[in-house]
Amino acid sequence: MSDTQAVEYLWLDGEGIPLSEANFPISTISASASTSVFEGIRGYWNQEVEQLYVFRCDEHMRRFDNSMKMVWMDRKFSTDDLVSAGLGLLRTNGARKNFYIRGMAFNSGRGFFAEAQNLATHLLLETLPIESHLGAIKRLDCCVSSWTRIADHIMPPRIKAGPNYANNRRALQEARINGYDDAILLNTQGKVSETTGACVFVIRDGRVMTSPVTSGILESITRATLIRLFDEQLELPVLERDIDRTELYIADEVFCCGTGREIAAVSSVDRFPVGDGEIGPITQQIVSLYRSVVHGEQSEYQKWCTPVW
Ligand code: PMP
């Protein structure tokens, strides 16, 4: 996915406008750099019924609204308004394949970083085509980052804020330079938090575990979805508890999950193979279940899939 793939129309402050007309004064950069919050939502195309299903759109828009609240932004649109705007934009852009909605709330004005206040808030939605890897599960070689995850009392990871991602980017760039696909960050307590864009699940002796929402993670909607699916469909209640670094080294399976990342198997951590380095059975099971849920094939979870057409 890249910005060059952006389709023609955007939704800006309540109106659909062509990309070429969405112009802001360059001075907007200084305020928006320190205050922006964003959201990412996937729509899955189901070829069988020729329908695009947006996955857990309400929950994503609610998190978007909470992010705006926590950075003192004006919130002129309700969650319902944002859901209809997102769906409307997908229709305007003729979305008939897998698509992504990116929401961005930013400030304009001449404020500078910490002084930026009482600035105008703008809300932008854009839609981008995106590939899915749920058909062929991705495998990632990860390191534990030398960088520490930001904490709630420093820069709350619960807020999906642009500036937070300076931390994630630092970890990801370092990982890539050192030949890894991604990094797992430890929090200020030295416990596993998350990767640079996804939450972590660890499986050992048939027990599924994930770090708690107080461990310096984004309150991931995919994580919450998988906790429900493990419990309700696979009879594997997930234990939410602190995870040590070395538990990653001796786990049978590790995977990470997120809207963009979907579900990816972690095949090694710090070059220690996870299990036998292959995709484990529980990971395979949850991927195939998740794949059918997001495509609107499971009646019990249809409520999570909003049809666009
Ligand atoms: N953690 C971080 C840092 C992320 O950027 C994301 C992606 N939004 C996630 C976790 C996963 O969250 P979600 O499942 O809601 O997409």
Side-chain angles (χ1 to χ4, degrees), residues 176-227:
R176 295 258 167 94
I177 287 165
N178 291 331
Y180 297 97
D181 299 311
D182 205 344
I184 295 170
L185 289 113
L186 304 182
N187 61 23
T188 46
Q189 272 77 50
K191 304 293 180 185
V192 171
S193 62
E194 56 184 351
T195 74
T196 63
C199 287
V200 176
F201 281 72
V202 174
I203 299 155
R204 191 170 169 208
D205 297 332
R207 197 76 224 249
V208 185
M209 296 170 274
T210 192
S211 309
V213 286
T214 47
S215 61
I217 63 170
L218 180 71
E219 287 189 352
S220 154
I221 290 156
T222 317
R223 174 188 175 280
T225 300
L226 299 189
I227 289 174

Side-chain angles (χ1 to χ4, degrees), residues 60 63 149 160 165 168 194 197-199 218 220-222 258-259:
H60 278 281
R63 184 173 70 187
R149 185 70 180 128
K160 199 163 167 62
Y165 283 76
N168 310 45
E194 56 184 351
C199 287
L218 180 71
S220 154
I221 290 156
T222 317
T259 300

Side-chain angles (χ1 to χ4, degrees), residues 122-140:
H122 301 282
L123 256 181
L124 172 71
L125 298 179
E126 57 182 324
T127 61
L128 310 132
I130 188 171
E131 282 183 15
S132 167
H133 298 284
L134 291 174
I137 308 171
K138 266 202 164 184
R139 292 156 47 133
L140 306 172

